[in-house]
Amino acid sequence: MTHKILILPGDGIGPEIVAEAVKVLECLRQEHSLDATLEYGLLGGCAVDALGAPYPEETRHQARAAAAILLGAVGGPKWEKLDRPLRPERGLLAIRADLELFANLRPALLYPQLAVASALKPEIVSGLDIVIVRELNGDIYFGQPRGIRTLDSGEREGFNTMVYREAEIARIARVAFETARKRSRRLCSVDKANVLETSELWREVVERVASDYPDVALSHLYVDNAAMQLVRAPKQFDVIVTGNLFGDILSDCAAMLTGSIGMLPSASLDASGKGLYEPIHGSAPDIAGQGVANPLATILSAAMLLRHTLNTPDQAERIERAVGRVLDKGLRTMDIMAPGMIPVGTQAMGDAVVAALAE
Ligand code: NAD
């Protein structure tokens, strides 16, 4: 069956890094029998400019019809002052909600070649290999009511609603237990059950789901402690499951343990395994158009796409091995540069990965 992959380059460095991932997919198509077609669409600021909405109808149709989606990044100063519903980031929230992409998998894997790039001591991070499973469709990011209102006193007040239903908690817990089962069978659930009722229910439901996974060791941490432990002794973790807000923050923290935001891919999956794949970083407007962005997170996102949605783990591993070989050769974009290494730009890095696919 030919799989349809929707490519959404987005804004800022998005088009530059996505072009390199497309080179890799095209090479797999032409030389390694990947059975997929690629189609392009608009999401974010570029969609606002062209079609007047960050997640236009045209993109919605394309996204629903595709087997998987590869996204660059959205947003930038040009669109920051727009009304909230028109902001690029709303496009991202809308596509996640529309496709019910509730499970966000964010690996934080430290490539041994890059151990010096971490802000932490090499002995604390070497061998680091964590997956954070973040719930993506609920919590305070989507809860109603929300807004900014003016009180009788004339003072303005901002408000949001943190809310989780039992079914939402149970389905993300299942994804996390399944993920842990394929790894070292340890799962840590992170919440704030000492303060928040939402978290109290979260913990109760995760415990209930755990009875279906007696082979996985479940532990719980409060989010403040989890943040501390991630920096103090990150290797104690294998799989972490948490809600949307806590996951947003902890996964960025875990990303920094690996030294470069430009190296980390992510997957957002629905209940059937359809997914949106994207680097964890944003559109980096400060370096957009300069040809210096690191495309590896996007290329590794394409690898995740092949593994999780297209079910072609061999092709995924081919990409991951190629990235390892390129790092072994000493090629580095500026964000992962170290003394004695070979500085390369975005396109040269993409070309090097394509060349390494054949090795
Ligand atoms: P950012 O991730 O874009 O950039 C943070 C820093 O990391 C910058 O110095 C940037 O140059 C650097 N960086 C990021 N990706 C890099 C790469 N591939 N190679 C080399 N360096 C890289 O975060 P930000 O500056 O907070 O946000 C910029 C814009 O991106 C904002 O409009 C924000 O809303 C948006 N954003 C989008 C997403 C997304 O599309 N998923 C995620 C986060 C932020």
Side-chain angles (χ1 to χ4, degrees):
M1 188 183 111
T2 304
H3 302 280
K4 199 188 282 181
I5 302 175
L6 176 62
I7 309 286
L8 301 173
D11 309 316
I13 60 169
E16 299 166 47
I17 52 180
V18 161
E20 302 313 311
V22 166
K23 273 185 200 166
V24 170
L25 288 172
E26 284 296 354
C27 175
L28 291 179
R29 251 161 49 89
Q30 285 159 23
E31 289 169 32
H32 302 281
S33 66
L34 172 65
D35 195 4
T37 57
L38 309 186
E39 185 187 311
Y40 285 82
L42 297 171
L43 185 84
C46 59
V48 173
D49 290 348
L51 299 165
Y55 182 43
E57 265 312 297
E58 289 84 342
T59 309
R60 184 189 305 265
H61 288 304
Q62 289 176 302
R64 287 186 177 179
I69 300 156
L70 183 67
L71 168 68
V74 299
K78 182 178 175 193
W79 303 280
E80 263 165 21
K81 298 271 183 298
L82 291 178
D83 287 346
R84 264 173 206 286
L86 284 180
R87 293 203 195 148
E89 294 75 11
R90 284 296 173 101
L92 199 51
L93 294 182
I95 192 171
R96 287 173 183 165
D98 184 40
L99 301 180
E100 287 200 58
L101 305 173
F102 70 93
N104 186 215
L105 269 51
R106 291 192 32 169
L109 175 75
L110 184 76
Y111 280 83
Q113 301 94 328
L114 301 180
V116 289
S118 173
L120 299 189
K121 295 185 195 113
E123 62 268 28
I124 293 186
V125 287
S126 66
L128 184 75
D129 181 3
I130 303 176
V131 176
I132 298 194
V133 179
R134 165 188 170 196
E135 201 288 330
L136 209 54
N137 263 191
D139 207 347
I140 199 160
Y141 291 177
F142 292 94
Q144 295 289 345
R146 61 186 295 160
I148 299 174
R149 61 191 162 210
T150 304
L151 304 173
D152 291 344
S153 64
E155 189 185 8
R156 291 192 307 154
E157 175 181 75
F159 57 100
N160 293 86
T161 304
M162 180 177 262
V163 57
Y164 263 123
R165 283 181 290 112
E166 284 181 292
E168 289 174 312
I169 303 168
R171 71 177 178 176
I172 192 70
R174 287 194 188 284
V175 171
F177 278 106
E178 293 291 342
T179 306
R181 238 181 201 173
K182 293 186 197 125
R183 295 171 51 96
S184 72
R185 295 173 187 266
R186 285 182 296 119
L187 175 63
C188 177
S189 172
V190 172
D191 60 38
K192 190 73 184 165
N194 50 344
V195 177
L196 301 170
E197 284 77 3
T198 318
S199 281
E200 215 178 291
L201 183 68
W202 175 280
R203 196 173 275 220
E204 190 188 310
V205 174
V206 171
E207 290 278 1
R208 197 189 310 151
V209 173
S211 61
D212 293 338
Y213 298 89
D215 52 322
V216 176
L218 173 67
S219 59
H220 301 276
L221 275 185
Y222 297 137
V223 62
D224 42 346
N225 190 12
M228 205 167 71
Q229 296 300 332
L230 262 179
V231 178
R232 192 187 70 83
K235 283 188 277 184
Q236 69 184 283
F237 295 110
D238 182 40
V239 181
I240 293 175
V241 63
T242 188
N244 206 348
L245 173 65
F246 301 152
D248 193 357
I249 299 162
L250 291 182
S251 55
D252 269 16
C253 175
M256 277 326 291
L257 301 175
T258 71
S260 174
I261 196 164
M263 291 298 302
L264 296 176
S266 76
S268 305
L269 305 174
D270 75 0
S272 69
K274 173 173 173 162
L276 173 89
Y277 298 83
E278 57 178 322
I280 66 149
H281 58 72
S283 58
D286 53 333
I287 57 167
Q290 297 175 21
V292 297
N294 187 346
L296 293 179
T298 317
I299 290 171
L300 291 167
S301 298
M304 284 189 91
L305 183 157
L306 298 179
R307 176 173 289 113
H308 291 282
T309 296
L310 268 54
N311 285 319
T312 52
D314 295 354
Q315 306 272 23
E317 279 160 30
R318 190 181 284 275
I319 296 178
E320 288 157 356
R321 276 198 308 272
V323 168
R325 277 192 211 110
V326 167
L327 294 176
D328 282 341
K329 287 179 192 153
L331 272 65
R332 300 284 188 275
T333 43
M334 108 193 147
D335 56 311
I336 49 174
M337 195 54 204
M341 297 293 144
I342 307 158
V344 292
T346 311
Q347 288 185 13
M349 186 59 107
D351 290 341
V353 175
V354 169
L357 286 173
E359 287 168 16

